[in-house]
Amino acid sequence: MKDSGDSKDQQLMVALRVRPISVAELEEGATLIAHKVDEQIVVLMDPTEDPDDILRAHRSREKSYLFDVAFDFTATQEMVYQATTKTLIEGVISGYNATVFAYGPTGCGKTYTMLGTDHEPGIYVRTLNDLFRAIEETSNDMEYEVSMSYLEIYNEMIRDLLNPSLGYLELREDSKGVIQVAGITEVSTINAKEIMQLLMKGNRQRTQEPTAANQTSSRSHAVLQVAVRQRSRVKNILQEVRQGRLFMIDLAGSERASQTQNRGQRMKEGAHINRSLLALGNCINALSDKSSNKYINYRDSKLTRLLKDSLGGNSRTVMIAHISPASSAFEESRNTLTYAGRAKNIKTRVKQNLLSVSYHIAQYTSIIADLRGEIQRLKCKIDEQAGRGQARGRLERGDIRHIQAEVQLHSGQGEQAEMRQLREQLISAFQEQMDVRRRLLELENRAMEVQIDTSRHLLTIAGWEHEKSRRALKWREEQRKESYTKDDSEKDSDTGDDQPDMLEPPEVASARESIAALAGEQKKLHKQKVSRVWGAAGGVRPGSSGYTCCVTLLSSLTSLCLICLICKMGAVMLQPSWGRWEDFQRLQNSTLPPLSTESEAHRMFKASPGAWQVKSSSVPTPPPIQISSLVTQEGPPQDSLGSRIISSPDSSENLSEVPLSCKERKEILTGTKCILVKAARRRSQALGPEGCHLLAPATEHSSLSLHSLSEAEDAQPPGPLACKRPPSPMLQHTAREDNLSSSTGEAPSQAVEHRSDGPRPWPRGQKKSLGKKREESLEAKRRKRRSRSFEVMGQGLSRPKTHLLGPCPTEGMSDHRMPVCGHPAPGIRHLGKITLPLAKVRFPPSQNTGPGDPSRPAIPPNPAGTSPRVTRGPHLPHGTSTHGKDGRIRHN
Ligand SMILES: Nc1ncnc2c1ncn2[C@@H]1O[C@H](COP(=O)(O)OP(=O)(O)OP(=O)(O)O)[C@@H](O)[C@H]1O
């Protein structure tokens, strides 16, 4: 260990404090002779000067003294501490020595300044408080060791005030000249409170005796020493240790024997006090004389030996001189001021007590142990702080939970019952809704079954009508052949021959009856569904908006189902083998396969050569079949229901020659047209904008109104497009309405007329002339018919058209011409046109018979010439069916 650090000269600081004049002094008649002129100057008046003394007339009666700082009776303890001692604390911590001592005559306030009272603590207490506060502030980086000792020099003997039992102690000087008190008690602590308790204990041990000058006169010099060792917490091979010492000395007061009136022990004490103070004065004189190189005799007294460093060595020293302002203490005050003034010239050489400690490698283990201990200490500190934070957090969370629980308890009691009630109501409403849905599904299932049965019966009836028409045609052919061989008279006589009646098969009659029953059931189911929806809607009444919504919903569903049914029926009827009675028989005995998926429907259409005509891409769901007209309308007589079915492609033109069949067919077509238009409208309404958007590609072609249909019929070249033009692959289900409607009106005749012109487009300008020709031809045919000729009168269909179609479906539905999803209906009229070729095209008689006519399938003859009853079904001769390029069926 070695000392290091630079030294510098430090002037001794001298402060003067003038205490208040005491009551005793006032009683003695003393006057104030010490006055503070400014912060540094004090004037002392000489009370003994006689103004009448001529010899001293020109001498000044007052003398001024300059100090570093001066205090009078107005100064507080804090002011004295701040101005004298506080600045020393930082130096002590940094390794500098410092000394504060109170000097002055007895009873002038030295003990008051240094020790103070309980209410006005002195420099001891204030200094220690600030010292430990400064150590605490830098303790994270620096490690401190603080030790304290408290002694008195009484009668030139040193006593340990912290442990008086130790007896008198000796002063020793080490090799470096540092004065040490051998065996003194040094209490190491960094607790300021503990040091203060020790200080109080030591003061009680200090020798105080009342004298005439001071009731609490200190008969000894008290020395409080505080040593501070500071080192960095960062361990290194070279460790710096800074050691500073602070001396705070309360000297005993110089006294005069006459003043103290001491006798005996008190006089002896005073002698020792004065001797030590004299030695101190001599040292101060010697130290303050800059010019002289006098020997400083510190060894004259233990006080000067102890204050060796403080006076002339390595220390920042502050001397606080005390005087009484009373005129009675003029001599003591003047001497004190003189000594204090001299001390002001004393300079000390101050240097930092810096000790460099180089550790041996063997000491590393202890250093490591110290470091580990330090790490452990820091960990404990962190854990302690974290635990404190967690405890605080738990406390806060506990408070929050407690508050929440209270809030829930108070506010939730009323709301819980209400919430429970609402929940029960919600659950019951949900269950009721599910029940209604289930019942509706059951009704839907039943309605689907009814629809399937109805469609099956309708197919049966349609098959029979077809067969009947075919037999009638065959019979007329035979009759015409026979008529060529007979003369006119025989012809006239044969005009009364009618076509033999064909007995209706029992299954057809049964189908008609079943259809009637099923229609009633359909109606009943529909009413039930509507009532269910009303109930589910919570009391929706007819005529209200809710009612409209319900009906719309149901209608939309049923319309979709209907569309599926018609597509399916169309696909079946366009089978190559369709038109034979056995096909109807086969279909009658089999249930309609449901179009469960779009792919299935696609397969079905593909399987048929004519499937492209009816392929519907917009109906992917299984078709719950429902014919609205049978349910929602008071339909035509049930016996005509069979005639509503779409005619067989092969026989449609021949059917027109049968008045009753033609009428029925028109009714069927009209009714179907009405249904389809309604279905399309309801589907559009049900789907709404979103559905329209989704179905836009399809509806663009399938949206249809009668108006658009009629326009289409007018604008579109009928015959060739219907018969020979390759069909569009984008055929839609509703496009069949176009076909159906055209089959009931002028289009067929136009097609017939146009057929002779080849596949050129139909010119609009020729329509009127063609109409005229058609009328003429019709008239001629009538005449022929009256003359018992058997020419086919396919054009006669145009006559009942206005009667059948006029008011009811066409005009009525023309109001429903609506653009679906914003797409105008006319834009789709050329697309998706399903052509049932033979139902649309009427052939003139001259062309009907030619088997080689490619535009029309030849009607297979009945070589057996049997009656319809005998020849129906499997007995009908037929060749191999082939398909023309226009998709129509040919029988070879
Ligand atoms: N500044 C002051 N303000 C008020 N009272 C004071 C002041 N200074 C001293 N006194 C009072 O004067 C009396 C004597 O003071 P004190 O004992 O401190 O003198 P002293 O110099 O220590 O005497 P001694 O040398 O005999 O110990 C005390 O009662 C003290 O309360």
Side-chain angles (χ1 to χ4, degrees), residues 552-782:
T552 305
L553 176 64
L554 288 173
S555 301
S556 304
L557 292 172
T558 53
S559 299
L560 285 172
C561 300
L562 175 63
I563 291 166
C564 296
L565 168 65
I566 292 174
C567 292
K568 193 161 143 183
M569 290 174 63
V572 172
M573 294 173 71
L574 287 174
Q575 293 289 329
S577 59
W578 179 259
R580 298 191 302 273
W581 175 245
E582 54 270 29
D583 298 328
F584 281 105
Q585 291 291 328
R586 179 166 45 83
L587 282 171
Q588 181 183 353
N589 296 328
S590 63
T591 56
L592 288 175
L595 288 177
S596 57
T597 60
E598 185 178 10
S599 59
E600 192 172 350
H602 182 72
R603 254 195 337 268
M604 179 177 178
F605 288 129
K606 266 194 142 181
S608 169
W612 52 267
Q613 292 177 311
V614 292
K615 180 177 179 181
S616 170
S617 62
S618 61
V619 186
T621 53
I625 305 168
Q626 178 171 348
I627 299 176
S628 312
S629 61
L630 295 179
V631 178
T632 59
Q633 298 175 2
E634 294 298 329
Q638 292 299 317
D639 56 356
S640 65
L641 279 174
S643 303
R644 292 184 180 191
I645 300 303
I646 303 168
S647 301
S648 164
D650 291 355
S651 61
S652 61
E653 64 198 34
N654 298 324
L655 283 174
S656 66
E657 295 179 6
V658 183
L660 185 58
S661 298
C662 176
K663 182 181 177 182
E664 289 177 348
R665 188 181 62 176
K666 286 184 178 181
E667 289 176 358
I668 292 170
L669 296 176
T670 303
T672 308
K673 184 177 181 180
C674 175
I675 292 166
L676 290 173
V677 172
K678 283 184 178 181
R681 187 185 70 232
R682 288 172 180 173
R683 189 185 64 157
S684 301
Q685 290 174 351
L687 293 176
E690 293 80 6
C692 290
H693 174 69
L694 293 173
L695 294 175
T699 53
E700 186 177 353
H701 308 298
S702 61
S703 305
L704 194 61
S705 68
L706 289 185
H707 180 80
S708 63
L709 289 173
S710 61
E711 284 184 2
E713 289 170 2
D714 293 341
Q716 182 174 327
L721 287 178
C723 300
K724 290 189 174 179
R725 186 185 62 179
S728 168
M730 303 177 69
L731 294 175
Q732 306 298 322
H733 58 282
T734 52
R736 287 190 295 145
E737 300 171 47
D738 192 3
N739 180 38
L740 294 172
S741 65
S742 64
S743 68
T744 63
E746 299 149 354
S749 60
Q750 291 168 357
V752 171
E753 294 291 336
H754 184 66
R755 173 159 298 284
S756 60
D757 298 335
R760 288 183 291 116
W762 186 269
R764 273 183 183 272
Q766 294 180 3
K767 287 183 72 177
K768 287 186 178 179
S769 60
L770 287 174
K772 273 186 178 181
K773 289 179 181 177
R774 192 164 56 241
E775 288 298 324
E776 290 172 316
S777 172
L778 189 61
E779 189 62 28
K781 285 176 182 177
R782 287 187 189 123

Side-chain angles (χ1 to χ4, degrees), residues 17 19-20 105-112 214 216-218 251-253:
R17 185 175 191 184
R19 70 161 172 81
T106 181
C108 291
K110 299 182 293 296
T111 305
Y112 181 84
N214 185 6
T216 56
S217 177
S218 303
L251 297 176

